Amino acid sequence: MSDTPSPEFASSNDATPSNDATPSNDPGRFDQIVNLTKRRGFVYPSAEIYGGFRSTWDYGPVGVLLLRNVKDAWWRAMVQQRDDVVGLDASILTPPAVWEASGHLTNFTDPLVDCKKCGQRWRLDKLEDPDKCPGCKATGSFTEPRNFNLMFSTHAGPVADEGALAYLRPETAQGMFTNFKNIINTTRVRPPFGVAQVGKSFRNEITPGNFVFRTREFEQMEMEYFVPPEDAEKYYEYWKAERERWYLELGMPRESLRLREHEADELSHYSSATADVEYLFPWGWDELEGIANRGDFDLKAHTERSGERLDWFDQAEGVRYVPHVIEPAAGATRTAFAFLLAAYDVEEVRGEERVVLRLHPRLAPYKVAVLPLSKKSPLQETARALAAELRDEWSCEYDENQAIGRRYRRQDELGTPYCVTVDFETSEDGAVTIRDRDSMEQVRIPLEGVADWLRPRLK
Ligand code: ATP
């Protein structure tokens, strides 16, 4: 065995990027990426040993890290780095009163049509041609549209009677409104301020699909920003720009991301303006996040239904008002998938195909991998000790199986930004080789300097 990492990866000069122009919207790649997510432990079909279960997915050992990193990056930008936003983790099980007040029990519906020819069901507002069945291609075969409510109901407690009826939340937002009074009474916030939450939501979608894009159980990252009414327009503009910036900073290509303002007929009844952050998916532009100017609809609706006055008294001005709300509402699972699509790249290296996930280091499941060139002593001990040290700060892979070239390829497919190779010279010169995922360039640095070298690069 050679005492240096495989020469195949010794320089990046021979790497020819196959296609810089956004590969993420190429339908052929979609299957390759879905395949990679299964093969490398990102996402598995739920209950697969029983044949799977209706568009539900489980995040595997690698996927759970990616998803967590997306949520952490959101929390960092939306809560940790700000002094005007606080966090919340409200319950998923909710009494009907909340959804009566919010309007979900009457309005949270999608128009459902059945095809009389093939029996398949469709969501009318998402069909390209509202008269043509995408399943059997028949025209004029649909039933009259029916409003189908997307709420999942259940019963809390041992008796399944009317009084025990509860709902799984279809969005996290209502928890922020129902806790408005608790939050202003127990913290130092004052408008403009936000309440942020990350968590699971459930919608009985008529047509889940496109892998994890639309599922019945998913995770959201939502923030309600409460502002004086006269400032609502200003903060609506502010949050649109902030949210777009977040995606770009984490590596979304500019040409695959856009902000689309809703047309008047798309707006919810309470919203005076809404814009979607959209990503160019393989099937076209689709939503990652909605940013809505919700006015005072929510606080007023809950005040009316609950009898609790949900407003703000500005002592300095001596005025009482119901704050208006700007809501950036993103999907964590959907966004993690979009980052994966955007990061996926295939290039040719010396006649061989290299698949690499060019994920932003903050999103990469593993930040670093430690790879001893041999399982023999003292390489293994040195490498294990280094991995243990690095794990104190980052999720770190340790891999001593197979040829080094194959191990690099595996880390490329996991999106690991750096691989540290402990080789036969390490015990003599006290140094290791660090390989960069994107350029494949290698540098040799002292063993004890690895963490210091990585720290600024993994920020
Ligand atoms: P759509 O038009 O795609 O049904 P929506 O406009 O109803 O979505 P919102 O209520 O604004 O979605 O929810 C905010 C975010 O939550 C969406 O932008 C999306 O990222 C995510 N989301 C909503 N529904 C789902 C779902 N069924 N599966 C995965 N993510 C979802």
Side-chain angles (χ1 to χ4, degrees), residues 111-115 120-122 124 127 142-146:
L112 168 77
V113 288
D114 293 283
C115 173
Q120 290 189 76
R121 297 198 150 151
W122 304 101
L124 186 63
L127 292 182
F142 288 144
T143 54
E144 279 300 305
R146 291 179 281 145

Side-chain angles (χ1 to χ4, degrees), residues 203 205 213-215 218 220 287-289 329 331 334:
R203 296 181 188 181
E205 297 280 359
F213 177 82
R214 186 179 303 285
T215 49
F218 54 97
Q220 290 188 305
E287 175 179 338
L288 291 178
E289 167 163 358
R334 196 179 275 190

